[in-house]
């Protein structure tokens, strides 16, 4: 029944890679496009670009520079404008949140680097713009589960495209080194996913998260207030879709109010992440709240401190400093995975599109982080999944991993 020793502190360490983004052949105009009219300059930003401002600053700067460098009068102002945009990130996001498609234009006048954010709804750059296809492009997909299955990495992701899509969630997998695709992105209920979920209305709206359980060789899948279990191939149900609160004793206790109304409210919409650890315990999360449950009873552990839901920062204090890594307060945990290889165990946590792994392997509670689709180096247990972007070949740039 023992759990790993609890870290009392920890740091977040950016893990640089030597490979830079290649924007040379990418059409970035739909995300960042700069134009000049006399002394007035306008920088057009997509909703995704606004997110990149304080979530992936290096990528945003790289795209901003690429959009400005051909304009002789503006190129010398790049650094000053970039600093100003970074300082005004919150006000830019406020404008973006008030626009249906999230587009914002930043207006300024040479030689002043001060820019004013204004709504830019419906803007299309000169010549048009053709973003990647919704499913195969992976552009609008948010990873919500990672599992190590048959020595390959399996993922699910939900659609965050502001445009409507007939596909709500997808499944794909990569080889173990993360640098090549094994199963290309597809509807999560199609072949190689979980076809046995077809016809079950509980999963019509998509898949919130899932986890493969090595101990049983089966999958648990979750959506809203429901869960189901399948065999390893996903073609046969071993637990029919049922309510979470009737399946997991611990979640039923939360729903009854055993831990207070505020805790109950946290879990009212179901769970957001799931994984199992080396003890076979289930780790379920709702936002940044965590429940660790026994595999047989489905109840909380009879261990002081683990007999109730906890906050992520109680378990890993280093995560109190997420803003240092560009993760804002409203960006909660999207995917959680525990994986083991030989005598090494790793935790993978995904916030937005940033991957955090415990680092170094000394139990200090520190985490290394970088973009989830950088290049992997499995020999050093530096994990990420470059296959997500190698697979694209789409008209948008690969994020920077330096």
């Amino acid at each position: 029944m023992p759990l790993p020793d609890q870290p009392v502190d920890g740091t977040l360490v950016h893990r640089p890679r030597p490979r830079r983004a290649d924007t040379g052949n990418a059409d970035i105009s739909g995300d960042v496009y700069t134009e000049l009219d006399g002394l007035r300059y306008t920088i057009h930003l997509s909703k995704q670009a606004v997110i990149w401002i304080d979530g992936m600053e290096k990528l945003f700067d790289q795209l901003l520079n690429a959009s400005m460098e051909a304009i002789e009068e503006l190129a010398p102002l790049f650094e000053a404008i970039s600093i100003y945009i970074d300082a005004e990130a919150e006000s830019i996001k406020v404008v973006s949140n008030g626009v249906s498609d999230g587009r914002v234009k930043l207006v300024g006048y040479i030689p002043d680097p001060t820019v004013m954010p204004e709504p830019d709804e419906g803007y299309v750059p000169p010549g048009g713009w053709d973003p990647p296809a919704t499913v195969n492009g992976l552009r609008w997909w948010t990873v919500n589960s990672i599992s190590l299955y048959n020595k390959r990495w399996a993922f699910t992701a939900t659609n965050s495209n502001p445009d409507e899509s007939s596909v709500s969630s997808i499944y794909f997998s990569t080889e173990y080194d993360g640098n090549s695709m094994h199963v290309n992105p597809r509807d999560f209920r199609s072949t190689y996913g979980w076809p046995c979920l077809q016809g079950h209305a509980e999963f019509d709206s998509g898949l919130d998260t899932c986890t493969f359980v090595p101990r049983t060789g089966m999958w648990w899948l979750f959506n809203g207030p429901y869960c189901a279990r399948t065999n390893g191939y996903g073609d046969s149900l071993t637990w029919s879709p049922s309510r979470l609160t009737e399946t997991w004793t611990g979640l039923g206790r939360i729903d009854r109010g055993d831990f207070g109304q505020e805790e109950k409210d946290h879990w009212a919409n179901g769970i957001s992440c799931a994984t199992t650890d080396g003890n076979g315990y289930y780790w379920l999360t709702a936002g940044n709240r965590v429940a660790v449950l026994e595999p047989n009873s489905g109840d909380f552990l009879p261990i002081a401190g683990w007999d109730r839901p906890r906050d992520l920062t109680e378990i890993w204090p280093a995560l109190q400093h997420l803003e240092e890594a560009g993760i804002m307060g409203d960006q909660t945990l999207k995917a959680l995975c525990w994986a083991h290889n030989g005598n090494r165990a790793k935790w993978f946590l995904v916030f937005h599109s940033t991957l955090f792994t415990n680092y170094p392997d000394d139990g200090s509670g520190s985490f290394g982080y970088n973009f989830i689709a950088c290049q992997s180096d499995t020999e050093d247990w530096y994990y990420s999944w470059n296959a997500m972007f190698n697979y694209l070949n789409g008209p948008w740039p690969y994020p920077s991993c330096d």
Side-chain angles (χ1 to χ4, degrees), residues 218-231:
M218 292 184 278
W219 292 90
W220 274 104
L221 304 104
F222 304 85
N223 187 50
Y226 300 102
C227 63
R229 191 180 64 193
T230 76
N231 64 352

Side-chain angles (χ1 to χ4, degrees), residues 95-147:
V95 175
S96 175
N97 291 338
V99 181
S100 62
D101 61 3
R103 297 198 67 95
V104 177
K105 60 182 177 183
L106 309 179
V107 180
Y109 293 86
I110 295 175
D112 190 350
T114 302
V115 292
M116 291 296 296
E118 299 177 7
D120 200 24
E121 186 174 4
Y123 175 78
V124 177
W129 186 60
D130 183 24
T134 304
V135 174
N136 292 334
L138 288 180
R139 174 187 180 80
W140 294 108
W141 295 95
T142 301
V143 169
N144 62 16
S145 78
I146 304 171
S147 295

Side-chain angles (χ1 to χ4, degrees), residues 73-260:
E73 298 89 341
L74 271 180
L77 291 177
F78 161 70
E79 186 172 348
I81 292 175
S82 173
I83 292 172
Y84 187 85
I85 291 175
D86 184 59
E88 294 298 316
E90 288 302 314
S91 62
I92 294 171
K93 284 198 294 185
V94 169
V95 175
S96 175
N97 291 338
V99 181
S100 62
D101 61 3
R103 297 198 67 95
V104 177
K105 60 182 177 183
L106 309 179
V107 180
Y109 293 86
I110 295 175
D112 190 350
T114 302
V115 292
M116 291 296 296
E118 299 177 7
D120 200 24
E121 186 174 4
Y123 175 78
V124 177
W129 186 60
D130 183 24
T134 304
V135 174
N136 292 334
L138 288 180
R139 174 187 180 80
W140 294 108
W141 295 95
T142 301
V143 169
N144 62 16
S145 78
I146 304 171
S147 295
L148 189 57
Y149 172 65
N150 283 349
K151 298 182 180 179
R152 294 186 176 97
W153 296 103
F155 302 83
T156 58
T158 49
N159 186 12
S160 56
N161 193 339
D163 300 322
E164 291 295 327
S165 170
S166 60
V167 180
S168 56
S169 300
I170 57 172
Y171 167 85
F172 61 96
S173 63
T174 75
E175 299 297 344
Y176 185 72
D177 66 5
N179 292 321
S180 59
M181 216 35 113
H182 175 244
V183 174
N184 292 339
R186 62 195 57 221
D187 190 310
F188 76 104
R189 290 195 284 193
S190 66
T191 305
Y192 301 115
W194 296 274
C196 65
L197 294 179
Q198 294 177 18
H200 290 278
E202 296 88 347
F203 288 87
D204 281 352
S205 62
L207 183 67
D208 287 340
T209 192
C210 67
T211 187
F212 178 70
V213 185
R215 183 176 61 90
T216 63
M218 292 184 278
W219 292 90
W220 274 104
L221 304 104
F222 304 85
N223 187 50
Y226 300 102
C227 63
R229 191 180 64 193
T230 76
N231 64 352
Y233 297 108
D235 57 8
S236 175
L237 281 168
T238 59
W239 188 286
S240 296
S242 307
R243 287 194 167 272
L244 291 170
T245 52
E246 297 171 359
T247 306
W248 303 87
T249 302
L251 300 185
R253 292 177 58 195
I254 293 174
D255 187 59
R256 289 198 307 269
D258 289 9
F259 304 99

